[in-house]
Every structure is written in C-alpha cells, then in structure tokens.
Amino acid sequence: MGLFPTLTHSLTRSNLTLLFPTKPTHVTAKSHIHFNFPSPVIFSGQKVELRRKARVGTCRITCSAKIDNGSETVKEKSVSVILLAGGKGQRMAASMPKQYLPLLGQPIALYSLYTFSRMIEVKEIVVVCDPLYKEIFEETEDKINVDLKFTLPGKERQDSVYSGLQAVDLNSELVCIHDSARPLVTSGDVEKVLKDGWLIGAAVLGVPVKATIKEANSESYVVRTLDRKTLWEMQTPQVIKPELLRKGFELVNREGLEVTDDVSIVEHLNHPVYVTEGSYTNIKVTTPDDLLLAERILSMTSGKLPK
C-alpha cells in the first residue's frame, strides 16, 4: 500500500495523534493512537493525501511497503538501542520506579535489555537512567555481547531520548527507542519494526485498537465515536534513522514543541511513519494490575522470554 507524508497535530490532554490537520480537542482515551484513513480524503472541499493503514506480514523481518532503499537487510551491529529507564513510576505507588520492581525475580527493565542484547543487529544499548540504578544494568555486562552506555534522563520523555541520542555511535544506521517498562517485547516483533524502520526511515510497533474510542469536547461531552478500524495503539520500540531523528529534534527544539512519543518528532517533519503490527502482550507495566498481568503472561510462556 502507498505511504504518504503525515500531517499531524497532537490532541491536548491525551495521547492521540490525528493524521489530518485539526485544532486541539479533548478525548476520552489514555493510549497513544494513530488514525489511518484511505487516500485521498476530502476536507473542506480540498483533497488531502494521507497514509493508508499499514499491514505487516507475520514472517521474519517483513515489510509490505514497496520502497527502493537499496539493501532490505538490517546489518549486523548496525542498531543502537536507547533504553528509557528514567521514569518515576508514580502510578505504581511503589518504593522504587516501576521499571526496577521485580517481575518473577528479575527487575522489569532487564527483560528487554536481554532481548535486545541477544539480537545480532544490535551493537550497543544506551541506558537512560538515574545513576542510583546504574548498578542494576552494570551487573549484566558479563552476560551480554553488546556495548553498554549510560546517560542521564531529562525532565520530559523527549529530553531523555535526546540525552540518549547524544551517546549513540555515529556509525549506527538505526536508533531503536524502547520503554524499559515494556518487558515482554519479543525479538520477532523487534526484527519486524527494525526492518520497516530501515525501509521507511521511521517505524513503530502498534496494535489495532479493540476498545471503543470517543472524542469529547472541553466540557467532557461526547462529540463523536471514532471508527476503531482506523485506530492503532502505539507501543515501543520506535525505530528511526539517526539523521532523521536529529533533524526532527532540531525542529522540535527550535520551535519549542512537546511530543509524547518518539515518532511524533519525525511526524513534525512530514515524514511518513510506518506502523508495524506488534503483539497485545507487549504491555507497559504502569500499575499493580499490569504487574500481575505481566507475571501471568510470563508464566504462560513457560520462560520463553529471556532472563
């Protein structure tokens, strides 16, 4: 299917991103969503070309987009992972940030670290964390075969990503940004989004929305019910070519823009972002209920995820 430049504005008080020009409104949703419409679409009598819904096959590292980008193979040791582990985790109401809580005896953040470290495409992992928790990661160095680097977190997510980007090897061909509070991401899903990021320039794991999503006004009255067939819930990793991410940060910093996820930085450049279909088990652990669910999923997989 064709891909078209993305035109976006983030909705206030939400994590929804519309793929058409709009004024900020209020919505009753917490997940990060993308709208995908058939192209062309008519707005106010004008024809607008928008990105179509991405559909990705289930075979290893595949991409349905037809892009001539030379080699379709993600090279060995060409990917730098930025592992975001600096969050406070206030909703968990625990004695430490959520990403360091034990999940079946292992800190949550280490699950994805081990997953990335065992992938031949990954050359280094840049951990963005509070120095107080640096030792948790340092203790893994004798178990992994990738370089481990550390940078300090920033005030907002985009500041932490920017901090991690400064430590990325200049020869890396892809930057893979992941939230350490998502311990259950699989290597298969990572491989798919890496390939799509290499082909398109920017890609993000996502799953089709299952719940009903309604748009509401500033007084909390429902404006309309959105067609969930066009909605995707965003996950991580989010994969971006480093030169594109740096260019996006130049724009974001120059104009003082705030973004709630990483590919939004690229969207401000009107560059296409590909949605790679991931797995519903790639949950973000933010509440005690999430932690219980993650334990159940791990138990059901019988230790298939790395430890």
Side-chain angles (χ1 to χ4, degrees), residues 291-303:
L291 187 57
L292 292 174
L293 178 58
E295 291 176 351
R296 177 67 63 88
I297 294 172
L298 277 175
S299 297
M300 291 175 62
T301 57
S302 301

Side-chain angles (χ1 to χ4, degrees), residues 184-201:
L184 307 183
V185 67
T186 66
S187 58
D189 283 347
V190 175
E191 287 173 341
K192 288 195 299 182
V193 75
L194 286 177
K195 179 63 177 294
D196 291 344
W198 172 243
L199 291 174
I200 310 303

Side-chain angles (χ1 to χ4, degrees), residues 59-115:
C59 56
R60 184 178 185 274
I61 314 187
T62 60
C63 176
S64 61
K66 302 301 182 182
I67 301 293
D68 183 9
N69 195 36
S71 173
E72 294 186 356
T73 303
V74 179
K75 300 175 185 176
E76 293 186 16
K77 300 295 183 181
S78 66
V79 177
S80 292
V81 174
I82 297 179
L83 188 63
L84 300 176
K88 302 296 183 183
Q90 296 176 346
R91 280 177 287 181
M92 185 64 76
S95 60
M96 64 179 68
K98 59 183 180 293
Q99 59 270 27
Y100 303 116
L101 292 173
L103 174 59
L104 297 184
Q106 178 174 275
I108 289 173
L110 294 189
Y111 281 89
S112 57
L113 180 136
Y114 284 133
T115 296

Side-chain angles (χ1 to χ4, degrees), residues 28-293:
T28 55
K30 293 181 180 180
S31 297
H32 203 96
I33 308 294
H34 282 98
F35 289 72
N36 297 281
F37 292 94
S39 180
V41 176
I42 306 299
F43 289 105
S44 301
Q46 295 183 349
K47 182 181 292 186
V48 180
E49 295 289 333
L50 300 176
R51 176 164 55 88
R52 292 190 178 186
K53 185 176 181 180
R55 294 196 179 275
V56 181
T58 58
C59 56
R60 184 178 185 274
I61 314 187
T62 60
C63 176
S64 61
K66 302 301 182 182
I67 301 293
D68 183 9
N69 195 36
S71 173
E72 294 186 356
T73 303
V74 179
K75 300 175 185 176
E76 293 186 16
K77 300 295 183 181
S78 66
V79 177
S80 292
V81 174
I82 297 179
L83 188 63
L84 300 176
K88 302 296 183 183
Q90 296 176 346
R91 280 177 287 181
M92 185 64 76
S95 60
M96 64 179 68
K98 59 183 180 293
Q99 59 270 27
Y100 303 116
L101 292 173
L103 174 59
L104 297 184
Q106 178 174 275
I108 289 173
L110 294 189
Y111 281 89
S112 57
L113 180 136
Y114 284 133
T115 296
F116 289 119
S117 71
R118 294 169 181 174
M119 298 183 66
I120 61 173
E121 298 90 349
V122 175
K123 68 186 302 184
E124 63 181 3
I125 300 175
V126 180
V127 181
V128 184
C129 70
D130 187 310
L132 290 174
Y133 300 98
K134 184 178 178 182
E135 184 178 354
I136 292 176
F137 300 98
E138 289 178 327
E139 291 176 350
T140 70
E141 288 189 281
D142 61 342
K143 304 175 184 178
I144 61 178
N145 295 315
V146 298
D147 294 333
L148 201 59
K149 299 178 180 178
F150 296 90
T151 62
L152 296 176
K155 182 179 179 181
E156 305 294 341
R157 178 192 177 89
Q158 67 193 69
D159 302 319
S160 294
V161 173
Y162 186 77
S163 175
L165 183 60
Q166 306 315 302
V168 164
D169 190 301
L170 294 178
N171 294 318
S172 292
E173 297 182 354
L174 286 175
V175 175
C176 176
I177 305 163
H178 186 65
D179 192 330
S180 64
R182 292 186 184 271
L184 307 183
V185 67
T186 66
S187 58
D189 283 347
V190 175
E191 287 173 341
K192 288 195 299 182
V193 75
L194 286 177
K195 179 63 177 294
D196 291 344
W198 172 243
L199 291 174
I200 310 303
V204 53
L205 277 185
V207 290
V209 168
K210 294 187 286 186
T212 297
I213 307 295
K214 294 182 182 291
E215 181 181 340
N217 62 22
S218 59
E219 297 177 347
S220 297
Y221 288 100
V222 172
V223 174
R224 60 174 175 154
T225 300
L226 304 175
D227 182 2
R228 63 185 174 191
K229 293 193 296 292
T230 66
L231 304 178
W232 290 73
E233 179 181 349
M234 297 296 97
Q235 301 178 342
T236 65
Q238 302 194 11
V239 178
I240 308 170
K241 290 190 174 182
E243 63 273 17
L244 190 61
L245 184 56
R246 292 187 180 97
K247 185 178 179 181
F249 265 118
E250 289 177 3
L251 175 64
V252 166
N253 293 335
R254 183 171 64 249
E255 299 189 7
L257 302 174
E258 292 186 6
V259 295
T260 55
D261 79 339
D262 314 306
V263 293
S264 294
I265 297 172
V266 176
E267 291 169 18
H268 282 292
L269 296 173
N270 289 336
H271 188 284
V273 176
Y274 200 82
V275 182
T276 303
E277 186 163 356
S279 304
Y280 288 101
T281 54
N282 184 20
I283 64 171
K284 184 175 181 179
V285 179
T286 58
T287 68
D289 287 343
D290 296 331
L291 187 57
L292 292 174
L293 178 58

